[in-house]
Amino acid sequence: MKTAISIDDALLHEADEAARVMGLSRSRLLSMAVGDFLKRQRQEQMLLRLNEVYAGGAELADAKVLRGIKGKVRRTLKDRW
């Protein structure tokens, strides 16, 4: 779907350069960036919900699993951004 957006000139030039280097169109680069951003937001919401579930105190085994999940989500977020 076509859409019109306003974007800072410097950011647009930087995006155009990144797209050129990556061999992508500007549209594809922006679509990928928005997709990655939304995925990160979903992951952060999942982590918040997990924290709420386990806020009341978890069993030792559950706490280990939760730490593992949190670590994986954090690593995923760092890798993507």
Coordinates of all heavy atoms in Angstrom, one line a residue:
M1 N 0.8 -1.2 0.0 CA 0.0 0.0 0.0 C 0.9 1.2 0.0 O 1.9 1.3 0.7 CB -0.9 0.0 1.2 CG -1.7 1.3 1.3 SD -2.6 1.4 2.9 CE -3.7 0.0 2.8
K2 N 0.6 2.2 -0.8 CA 1.3 3.4 -0.8 C 0.8 4.3 0.3 O -0.3 4.3 0.6 CB 1.1 4.1 -2.2 CG 1.9 3.5 -3.3 CD 1.9 4.3 -4.5 CE 2.7 3.7 -5.6 NZ 3.2 4.7 -6.6
T3 N 1.8 5.1 0.8 CA 1.4 6.1 1.9 C 2.4 7.2 1.8 O 3.5 7.1 1.2 CB 1.5 5.4 3.2 OG1 1.0 6.3 4.2 CG2 2.9 5.0 3.6
A4 N 2.0 8.3 2.3 CA 2.9 9.5 2.4 C 3.3 9.7 3.8 O 2.4 9.7 4.7 CB 2.2 10.7 1.8
I5 N 4.6 10.0 4.1 CA 5.0 10.3 5.5 C 6.0 11.5 5.4 O 6.5 11.8 4.4 CB 5.7 9.1 6.1 CG1 7.0 8.7 5.3 CG2 4.8 7.9 6.3 CD1 7.9 7.7 6.0
S6 N 6.1 12.1 6.5 CA 7.1 13.2 6.7 C 8.3 12.6 7.4 O 8.1 11.9 8.4 CB 6.5 14.4 7.4 OG 5.4 14.9 6.7
I7 N 9.5 12.9 7.0 CA 10.7 12.4 7.6 C 11.8 13.5 7.5 O 11.9 14.2 6.5 CB 11.1 11.0 7.0 CG1 12.2 10.4 7.8 CG2 11.5 11.2 5.6 CD1 12.5 8.9 7.4
D8 N 12.6 13.6 8.5 CA 13.6 14.5 8.6 C 14.6 14.3 7.4 O 14.9 13.2 7.0 CB 14.4 14.4 9.9 CG 15.6 15.3 10.0 OD1 15.3 16.5 10.2 OD2 16.7 14.9 9.9
D9 N 15.0 15.4 6.7 CA 15.9 15.3 5.6 C 17.2 14.5 5.8 O 17.5 13.6 5.0 CB 16.3 16.7 5.1 CG 15.2 17.4 4.3 OD1 14.2 16.7 3.9 OD2 15.3 18.6 4.2
A10 N 17.8 14.7 7.0 CA 19.1 14.0 7.3 C 18.8 12.5 7.4 O 19.6 11.7 7.0 CB 19.7 14.6 8.5
L11 N 17.7 12.2 8.1 CA 17.4 10.8 8.3 C 17.1 10.1 7.0 O 17.5 9.0 6.7 CB 16.2 10.6 9.3 CG 15.8 9.2 9.6 CD1 16.9 8.4 10.3 CD2 14.6 9.3 10.6
L12 N 16.3 10.8 6.1 CA 16.0 10.2 4.8 C 17.3 10.0 4.0 O 17.4 8.9 3.3 CB 15.1 11.2 4.1 CG 14.6 10.7 2.7 CD1 13.9 9.3 2.8 CD2 13.7 11.7 2.0
H13 N 18.2 10.9 4.0 CA 19.5 10.8 3.3 C 20.2 9.6 3.8 O 20.8 8.8 3.1 CB 20.3 12.0 3.3 CG 19.7 13.2 2.5 ND1 19.5 13.1 1.2 CD2 19.3 14.4 2.9 CE1 19.0 14.2 0.8 NE2 18.9 15.1 1.8
E14 N 20.3 9.4 5.1 CA 20.9 8.3 5.7 C 20.3 7.0 5.4 O 20.9 6.0 5.1 CB 21.0 8.5 7.3 CG 21.9 7.5 8.0 CD 22.0 7.8 9.5 OE1 21.6 8.9 9.9 OE2 22.5 6.9 10.1
A15 N 18.9 7.0 5.4 CA 18.2 5.8 5.0 C 18.4 5.4 3.5 O 18.6 4.3 3.2 CB 16.7 6.0 5.2
D16 N 18.5 6.5 2.7 CA 18.7 6.2 1.2 C 20.1 5.6 1.0 O 20.3 4.7 0.2 CB 18.6 7.5 0.4 CG 17.2 7.9 0.2 OD1 16.3 7.1 0.3 OD2 17.0 9.1 -0.1
E17 N 21.1 6.1 1.8 CA 22.5 5.6 1.7 C 22.5 4.1 2.1 O 23.1 3.3 1.5 CB 23.4 6.5 2.4 CG 24.9 6.0 2.4 CD 25.5 5.9 1.0 OE1 25.0 6.5 0.1 OE2 26.5 5.2 0.9
A18 N 21.9 3.9 3.3 CA 21.8 2.5 3.8 C 21.2 1.6 2.8 O 21.6 0.4 2.6 CB 21.1 2.4 5.1
A19 N 20.1 2.0 2.2 CA 19.4 1.2 1.2 C 20.2 0.9 0.0 O 20.3 -0.2 -0.5 CB 18.1 1.9 0.8
R20 N 21.0 1.9 -0.4 CA 21.9 1.8 -1.6 C 22.9 0.7 -1.3 O 23.2 -0.2 -2.1 CB 22.5 3.1 -2.0 CG 23.4 3.0 -3.2 CD 24.1 4.3 -3.5 NE 25.1 4.5 -2.4 CZ 26.3 3.8 -2.3 NH1 26.6 2.9 -3.2 NH2 27.2 4.1 -1.4
V21 N 23.6 0.9 -0.1 CA 24.6 0.0 0.3 C 24.1 -1.5 0.4 O 24.8 -2.4 0.0 CB 25.3 0.4 1.6 CG1 26.2 -0.7 2.2 CG2 26.0 1.7 1.4
M22 N 22.9 -1.6 0.9 CA 22.3 -3.0 1.1 C 21.7 -3.5 -0.2 O 21.2 -4.6 -0.2 CB 21.3 -2.9 2.2 CG 21.9 -2.5 3.6 SD 20.6 -2.2 4.8 CE 20.0 -3.9 5.1
G23 N 21.6 -2.7 -1.2 CA 21.0 -3.1 -2.5 C 19.5 -3.2 -2.4 O 18.8 -4.1 -3.0
L24 N 18.9 -2.4 -1.5 CA 17.4 -2.4 -1.3 C 16.8 -1.1 -1.9 O 17.5 -0.1 -1.9 CB 17.1 -2.5 0.2 CG 17.6 -3.7 0.9 CD1 17.4 -3.5 2.4 CD2 17.0 -5.0 0.4
S25 N 15.5 -1.1 -2.1 CA 14.8 0.1 -2.4 C 14.5 0.8 -1.1 O 14.6 0.2 0.0 CB 13.5 -0.2 -3.1 OG 12.6 -0.8 -2.2
R26 N 14.3 2.1 -1.2 CA 13.9 2.9 0.0 C 12.7 2.3 0.7 O 12.6 2.1 1.9 CB 13.7 4.3 -0.3 CG 13.3 5.2 0.9 CD 12.7 6.5 0.5 NE 13.7 7.3 -0.1 CZ 13.4 8.4 -0.8 NH1 12.1 8.8 -0.9 NH2 14.3 9.2 -1.3
S27 N 11.7 1.9 -0.1 CA 10.5 1.4 0.4 C 10.7 0.1 1.2 O 10.2 -0.2 2.2 CB 9.5 1.1 -0.7 OG 9.0 2.3 -1.3
R28 N 11.6 -0.8 0.6 CA 11.9 -2.1 1.2 C 12.6 -1.8 2.6 O 12.3 -2.5 3.6 CB 12.7 -3.0 0.3 CG 13.1 -4.3 0.9 CD 11.8 -5.2 1.1 NE 12.2 -6.4 1.7 CZ 11.5 -7.0 2.7 NH1 10.4 -6.5 3.1 NH2 12.0 -8.1 3.2
L29 N 13.6 -0.9 2.6 CA 14.3 -0.6 3.8 C 13.4 -0.1 4.9 O 13.4 -0.6 6.0 CB 15.4 0.4 3.6 CG 16.2 0.8 4.8 CD1 17.1 -0.3 5.3 CD2 16.9 2.1 4.6
L30 N 12.5 0.8 4.5 CA 11.6 1.4 5.5 C 10.6 0.3 6.0 O 10.2 0.2 7.2 CB 10.8 2.6 5.0 CG 11.7 3.8 4.7 CD1 10.9 4.9 4.0 CD2 12.4 4.3 6.0
S31 N 10.1 -0.6 5.1 CA 9.2 -1.7 5.5 C 9.9 -2.6 6.5 O 9.3 -3.0 7.5 CB 8.7 -2.4 4.3 OG 7.9 -1.7 3.5
M32 N 11.2 -2.9 6.2 CA 11.9 -3.8 7.1 C 12.1 -3.2 8.5 O 12.0 -3.8 9.5 CB 13.3 -4.1 6.5 CG 13.2 -5.1 5.3 SD 14.8 -5.3 4.4 CE 15.8 -5.9 5.7
A33 N 12.4 -1.9 8.4 CA 12.7 -1.2 9.7 C 11.4 -1.1 10.6 O 11.4 -1.4 11.8 CB 13.2 0.3 9.4
V34 N 10.3 -0.8 9.9 CA 9.0 -0.8 10.7 C 8.7 -2.2 11.2 O 8.2 -2.4 12.4 CB 7.8 -0.2 9.8 CG1 6.5 -0.4 10.5 CG2 8.1 1.2 9.5
G35 N 8.9 -3.2 10.4 CA 8.6 -4.6 10.8 C 9.5 -5.0 12.0 O 9.0 -5.6 12.9
D36 N 10.8 -4.6 11.9 CA 11.6 -4.9 13.1 C 11.2 -4.2 14.3 O 11.3 -4.7 15.4 CB 13.1 -4.6 12.7 CG 13.7 -5.6 11.8 OD1 13.2 -6.7 11.6 OD2 14.8 -5.3 11.3
F37 N 10.9 -2.9 14.2 CA 10.4 -2.1 15.3 C 9.2 -2.8 16.0 O 9.1 -2.9 17.2 CB 10.1 -0.7 14.9 CG 9.5 0.1 16.0 CD1 10.4 0.7 16.9 CD2 8.2 0.4 16.1 CE1 9.8 1.5 18.0 CE2 7.6 1.1 17.1 CZ 8.5 1.7 18.0
L38 N 8.2 -3.1 15.1 CA 7.0 -3.7 15.7 C 7.2 -5.1 16.3 O 6.7 -5.4 17.4 CB 5.9 -3.9 14.6 CG 5.4 -2.5 14.0 CD1 4.5 -2.8 12.9 CD2 4.7 -1.7 15.1
K39 N 8.1 -5.9 15.8 CA 8.5 -7.1 16.4 C 9.1 -6.9 17.8 O 8.8 -7.6 18.7 CB 9.5 -7.9 15.5 CG 9.9 -9.2 16.0 CD 10.8 -10.0 15.1 CE 11.3 -11.3 15.7 NZ 12.2 -12.0 14.8
R40 N 10.0 -5.9 17.8 CA 10.7 -5.6 19.1 C 9.6 -5.1 20.2 O 9.7 -5.5 21.3 CB 11.7 -4.5 18.9 CG 12.5 -4.2 20.2 CD 13.6 -3.2 19.9 NE 12.9 -1.9 19.8 CZ 13.5 -0.8 20.0 NH1 14.8 -0.7 20.3 NH2 12.9 0.4 19.8
Q41 N 8.7 -4.4 19.7 CA 7.6 -3.9 20.6 C 6.8 -5.1 21.2 O 6.5 -5.2 22.3 CB 6.7 -2.9 19.9 CG 7.3 -1.6 19.6 CD 7.8 -0.9 20.8 OE1 7.0 -0.7 21.8 NE2 9.1 -0.5 20.8
R42 N 6.5 -6.1 20.3 CA 5.7 -7.3 20.7 C 6.6 -8.0 21.7 O 6.0 -8.5 22.7 CB 5.4 -8.1 19.5 CG 4.3 -7.6 18.7 CD 3.8 -8.6 17.6 NE 4.9 -9.0 16.7 CZ 5.1 -8.4 15.6 NH1 4.4 -7.4 15.2 NH2 6.1 -8.9 14.8
Q43 N 7.9 -8.2 21.5 CA 8.7 -8.9 22.4 C 8.8 -8.2 23.8 O 8.8 -8.8 24.8 CB 10.1 -9.1 21.8 CG 10.2 -10.0 20.7 CD 11.5 -10.0 20.0 OE1 12.3 -9.1 20.0 NE2 11.8 -11.1 19.3
E44 N 8.9 -6.9 23.8 CA 8.9 -6.1 25.0 C 7.6 -6.3 25.8 O 7.6 -6.4 27.0 CB 9.2 -4.7 24.7 CG 10.7 -4.4 24.3 CD 10.9 -2.9 24.0 OE1 10.0 -2.1 24.2 OE2 12.1 -2.7 23.5
Q45 N 6.5 -6.3 25.1 CA 5.2 -6.5 25.7 C 5.1 -7.9 26.3 O 4.6 -8.1 27.4 CB 4.0 -6.3 24.7 CG 3.9 -4.8 24.4 CD 3.6 -3.9 25.6 OE1 2.8 -4.3 26.4 NE2 4.3 -2.8 25.7
M46 N 5.6 -8.9 25.6 CA 5.7 -10.2 26.1 C 6.5 -10.3 27.4 O 6.1 -10.9 28.4 CB 6.2 -11.2 25.1 CG 6.3 -12.7 25.6 SD 7.0 -13.8 24.4 CE 8.7 -13.2 24.3
L47 N 7.6 -9.7 27.4 CA 8.5 -9.6 28.6 C 7.8 -9.0 29.8 O 7.8 -9.5 30.9 CB 9.8 -8.9 28.3 CG 10.8 -8.9 29.4 CD1 11.2 -10.4 29.9 CD2 12.1 -8.2 29.0
L48 N 7.1 -7.9 29.5 CA 6.3 -7.2 30.6 C 5.2 -8.1 31.1 O 5.0 -8.2 32.3 CB 5.7 -5.9 30.0 CG 6.6 -4.8 29.8 CD1 5.9 -3.6 29.1 CD2 7.3 -4.3 31.1
R49 N 4.5 -8.8 30.2 CA 3.5 -9.8 30.7 C 4.1 -10.9 31.5 O 3.5 -11.3 32.6 CB 2.7 -10.3 29.5 CG 1.7 -9.3 28.9 CD 0.7 -9.9 28.0 NE 1.4 -10.5 26.8 CZ 1.7 -9.8 25.7 NH1 1.4 -8.6 25.6 NH2 2.2 -10.5 24.7
L50 N 5.2 -11.4 31.1 CA 5.9 -12.5 31.9 C 6.3 -11.9 33.3 O 6.1 -12.6 34.3 CB 7.1 -13.0 31.1 CG 6.9 -13.9 30.0 CD1 8.2 -14.1 29.2 CD2 6.3 -15.2 30.4
N51 N 6.8 -10.7 33.3 CA 7.2 -10.1 34.6 C 5.9 -10.0 35.5 O 6.0 -10.2 36.7 CB 7.8 -8.8 34.4 CG 9.2 -8.9 33.8 OD1 9.9 -9.9 34.0 ND2 9.7 -7.8 33.2
E52 N 4.8 -9.6 34.9 CA 3.6 -9.5 35.7 C 3.2 -10.8 36.3 O 2.8 -11.0 37.4 CB 2.5 -8.9 34.9 CG 2.6 -7.4 34.6 CD 1.6 -6.9 33.6 OE1 0.7 -7.7 33.2 OE2 1.7 -5.7 33.2
V53 N 3.2 -11.9 35.4 CA 2.8 -13.2 35.9 C 3.7 -13.7 37.0 O 3.2 -14.3 38.0 CB 2.9 -14.2 34.7 CG1 2.8 -15.6 35.1 CG2 1.8 -13.9 33.6
Y54 N 5.0 -13.4 36.9 CA 5.9 -14.0 37.9 C 6.2 -13.0 39.0 O 7.0 -13.3 39.9 CB 7.2 -14.5 37.3 CG 7.0 -15.7 36.5 CD1 6.8 -15.7 35.1 CD2 6.9 -16.9 37.1 CE1 6.6 -16.9 34.4 CE2 6.6 -18.1 36.4 CZ 6.5 -18.1 35.0 OH 6.3 -19.2 34.3
A55 N 5.6 -11.8 39.0 CA 5.8 -10.8 40.1 C 5.5 -11.3 41.5 O 6.0 -10.9 42.5 CB 5.1 -9.5 39.8
G56 N 4.5 -12.2 41.6 CA 4.0 -12.7 42.9 C 5.0 -13.7 43.5 O 4.8 -14.1 44.6
G57 N 6.1 -14.0 42.8 CA 7.0 -15.0 43.4 C 6.9 -16.3 42.6 O 5.9 -16.9 42.6
A58 N 8.0 -16.7 42.1 CA 8.0 -18.0 41.3 C 8.8 -19.0 42.1 O 9.7 -18.7 42.9 CB 8.7 -17.7 40.0
E59 N 8.5 -20.3 41.8 CA 9.3 -21.4 42.3 C 10.7 -21.3 41.8 O 10.9 -20.7 40.7 CB 8.6 -22.7 41.9 CG 7.2 -22.9 42.4 CD 7.2 -23.2 43.9 OE1 8.1 -23.8 44.4 OE2 6.2 -22.7 44.5
L60 N 11.7 -21.9 42.4 CA 13.1 -21.8 42.0 C 13.2 -22.3 40.5 O 13.9 -21.6 39.7 CB 13.9 -22.7 42.9 CG 15.4 -22.7 42.6 CD1 16.0 -21.3 42.6 CD2 16.2 -23.5 43.6
A61 N 12.6 -23.4 40.2 CA 12.7 -23.9 38.8 C 12.1 -23.0 37.8 O 12.6 -22.7 36.7 CB 12.0 -25.3 38.7
D62 N 10.9 -22.4 38.2 CA 10.3 -21.4 37.3 C 11.1 -20.2 37.2 O 11.2 -19.6 36.1 CB 8.9 -21.0 37.9 CG 7.9 -22.1 37.8 OD1 8.1 -23.1 37.0 OD2 6.9 -22.1 38.6
A63 N 11.8 -19.7 38.2 CA 12.6 -18.5 38.2 C 13.8 -18.8 37.2 O 14.2 -17.9 36.5 CB 13.2 -18.2 39.6
K64 N 14.4 -20.0 37.2 CA 15.5 -20.3 36.2 C 15.0 -20.2 34.8 O 15.6 -19.6 33.9 CB 16.1 -21.6 36.5 CG 16.9 -21.7 37.8 CD 17.4 -23.1 38.0 CE 18.2 -23.1 39.3 NZ 18.8 -24.5 39.6
V65 N 13.8 -20.7 34.6 CA 13.2 -20.7 33.2 C 13.0 -19.3 32.8 O 13.3 -18.8 31.7 CB 11.9 -21.5 33.1 CG1 11.2 -21.3 31.8 CG2 12.3 -23.0 33.3
L66 N 12.4 -18.5 33.7 CA 12.1 -17.1 33.4 C 13.4 -16.3 33.1 O 13.4 -15.5 32.2 CB 11.4 -16.5 34.6 CG 10.9 -15.0 34.5 CD1 10.0 -14.8 33.3 CD2 10.2 -14.5 35.7
R67 N 14.4 -16.5 33.9 CA 15.7 -15.8 33.6 C 16.2 -16.2 32.2 O 16.7 -15.3 31.5 CB 16.7 -16.2 34.7 CG 16.6 -15.4 36.0 CD 17.8 -15.5 36.9 NE 18.2 -16.9 37.2 CZ 17.7 -17.5 38.2 NH1 16.8 -17.0 39.0 NH2 18.1 -18.8 38.5
G68 N 16.1 -17.4 31.8 CA 16.5 -17.9 30.5 C 15.7 -17.2 29.4 O 16.2 -16.7 28.4
I69 N 14.4 -17.1 29.6 CA 13.5 -16.4 28.6 C 13.9 -14.9 28.5 O 14.0 -14.4 27.5 CB 12.0 -16.6 29.0 CG1 11.6 -18.0 28.8 CG2 11.2 -15.6 28.2 CD1 10.3 -18.3 29.4
K70 N 14.0 -14.3 29.7 CA 14.4 -12.8 29.7 C 15.7 -12.6 29.0 O 15.9 -11.7 28.2 CB 14.5 -12.3 31.1 CG 13.2 -12.1 31.8 CD 13.4 -11.6 33.2 CE 12.1 -11.4 34.0 NZ 12.3 -10.9 35.3
G71 N 16.7 -13.5 29.3 CA 18.0 -13.3 28.6 C 17.9 -13.5 27.1 O 18.5 -12.7 26.4
K72 N 17.1 -14.5 26.7 CA 17.0 -14.7 25.2 C 16.3 -13.5 24.6 O 16.7 -13.0 23.5 CB 16.2 -15.9 25.0 CG 16.1 -16.3 23.5 CD 15.5 -17.6 23.2 CE 15.6 -17.9 21.7 NZ 15.4 -19.3 21.4
V73 N 15.3 -12.9 25.2 CA 14.6 -11.8 24.7 C 15.5 -10.6 24.6 O 15.6 -9.9 23.6 CB 13.3 -11.4 25.5 CG1 12.7 -10.1 25.1 CG2 12.2 -12.5 25.3
R74 N 16.3 -10.3 25.7 CA 17.2 -9.2 25.7 C 18.3 -9.4 24.6 O 18.6 -8.4 23.9 CB 17.9 -9.1 27.0 CG 17.0 -8.5 28.1 CD 17.7 -8.2 29.4 NE 16.8 -7.8 30.4 CZ 16.5 -8.5 31.4 NH1 17.0 -9.7 31.6 NH2 15.6 -8.0 32.3
R75 N 18.8 -10.6 24.4 CA 19.8 -10.8 23.3 C 19.2 -10.6 22.0 O 19.8 -10.0 21.1 CB 20.4 -12.2 23.4 CG 21.4 -12.4 24.6 CD 22.1 -13.8 24.5 NE 21.2 -14.9 24.5 CZ 20.7 -15.4 25.7 NH1 21.1 -14.9 26.8 NH2 19.9 -16.5 25.6
T76 N 18.0 -11.0 21.8 CA 17.3 -10.8 20.5 C 17.1 -9.3 20.2 O 17.4 -8.9 19.1 CB 15.9 -11.5 20.5 OG1 16.1 -12.9 20.7 CG2 15.2 -11.3 19.2
L77 N 16.7 -8.6 21.2 CA 16.5 -7.1 21.1 C 17.9 -6.5 20.7 O 17.9 -5.6 19.9 CB 15.9 -6.5 22.3 CG 14.5 -7.0 22.6 CD1 14.0 -6.4 23.9 CD2 13.5 -6.6 21.5
K78 N 18.9 -6.8 21.4 CA 20.2 -6.2 21.2 C 20.7 -6.6 19.8 O 21.3 -5.7 19.1 CB 21.3 -6.7 22.2 CG 21.1 -6.1 23.5 CD 22.2 -6.6 24.5 CE 22.0 -6.0 25.9 NZ 23.0 -6.5 26.8
D79 N 20.5 -7.8 19.3 CA 20.9 -8.2 18.0 C 20.2 -7.4 16.9 O 20.8 -7.1 15.9 CB 20.7 -9.7 17.8 CG 21.7 -10.5 18.6 OD1 22.7 -10.0 19.1 OD2 21.4 -11.8 18.7
R80 N 18.9 -7.2 17.1 CA 18.1 -6.5 16.1 C 18.4 -5.0 16.0 O 18.2 -4.4 15.0 CB 16.6 -6.8 16.4 CG 16.2 -8.2 16.4 CD 16.5 -8.9 15.1 NE 15.6 -8.5 14.1 CZ 15.7 -8.8 12.8 NH1 16.7 -9.5 12.4 NH2 14.7 -8.4 12.0
W81 N 18.7 -4.4 17.2 CA 18.9 -2.9 17.2 C 20.2 -2.6 17.7 O 20.7 -1.9 18.3 CB 17.8 -2.2 18.0 CG 16.5 -2.4 17.3 CD1 15.5 -3.4 17.4 CD2 15.9 -1.5 16.3 NE1 14.5 -3.1 16.6 CE2 14.7 -2.0 15.9 CE3 16.4 -0.3 15.7 CZ2 13.9 -1.4 14.9 CZ3 15.6 0.3 14.7 CH2 14.3 -0.3 14.4

